Amino acid sequence: MKTSRVSLAAALATGSVLLLSGPASAHVSVQPGEATKGGYATLDFKVPNERDNASTTQLEVNFPTDQPLTSVMPQDVPGWTVTVEKTKLDKPLTVHGKQINEAVTKVTWSGGKIEPGKFQQFPVSVGKLPENADRMVFKAIQTYDNNEVVRWIEEPKEGAAEPQTPAPVLKLTAAKAGAAHHDDAQKPADAAHSAQDDHTGAAAGGGTDTTARSLGVAGIVIGLAGVAFGISSRRRAS
């Protein structure tokens, strides 16, 4: 009897943990969870449907205005319409010698449907990521076809429990040693081509010089042979 009570208590405790942890783990998230500072990345906003009697019909992702991105390009998702909103920057940015006066502040997917028990990913190519920050917070709003709206906008705090409706967070990490940007990687390649051209030129020059010397030596030998033949002929004539 005692054993049965213990087993029942354990089962109830396990069920309680699953009920409490289930909703918290099924929130809107960004994947992968981290990217390199100052680089470019493709992010997937993963949206699970948490309701048994309604479907998700819209996702709105807000980009932080204090960390403007000069490039935000959403990928088409079949069945969904994407809308990109831009805002004029108070302080223009300069990227690759070009001045940027506005940045994307919101991307909205609508018109599709995420049914109960399913999820959908919404890919976005972004850059250039901030170099002086450790993370980016993307506040998201999920809308269901029963007009329910869930705001995933609470910013997680280090050392604190996870909020009830946490916002998607992208962790920014420093570039690994030895990693180079495209422009920097191109410089060694150009140098290698230059060195190869110099080597080729030197080889060609060396070949030409060797040929000239060979011809010169051959000419001297022929000339000496002609002189010897002339002297021999004169002796015979005498």
Side-chain angles (χ1 to χ4, degrees), residues 38-40 68-71 95 126-131 181:
Y40 291 78
L69 299 176
T70 56
S71 175
V95 179
V126 300
K128 182 179 181 182
L129 296 173
E131 297 180 347
H181 292 290

Side-chain angles (χ1 to χ4, degrees), residues 6 9 22 72 79 86 135 161:
V6 172
V72 176
K86 297 182 178 181
R135 70 175 188 174

Side-chain angles (χ1 to χ4, degrees), residues 133-221:
D134 294 325
R135 70 175 188 174
M136 294 186 72
V137 179
F138 301 93
K139 297 182 178 182
I141 299 177
Q142 182 179 10
T143 303
Y144 290 87
D145 57 7
N146 61 356
N147 295 324
E148 179 185 3
V149 177
V150 181
R151 301 178 182 276
W152 304 97
I153 61 175
E154 296 183 76
E155 296 190 27
K157 296 182 180 180
E158 188 175 355
E162 184 179 49
Q164 186 65 27
T165 53
V169 176
L170 176 67
K171 181 180 179 182
L172 300 176
T173 60
K176 295 181 180 179
H181 292 290
H182 175 73
D183 293 341
D184 295 334
Q186 187 65 31
K187 292 178 182 178
D190 292 341
H193 286 301
S194 178
Q196 184 177 2
D197 293 341
D198 292 343
H199 177 71
T200 303
T208 303
D209 187 43
T210 301
T211 302
R213 290 181 182 179
S214 299
L215 292 175
V217 172
I220 293 174
V221 171

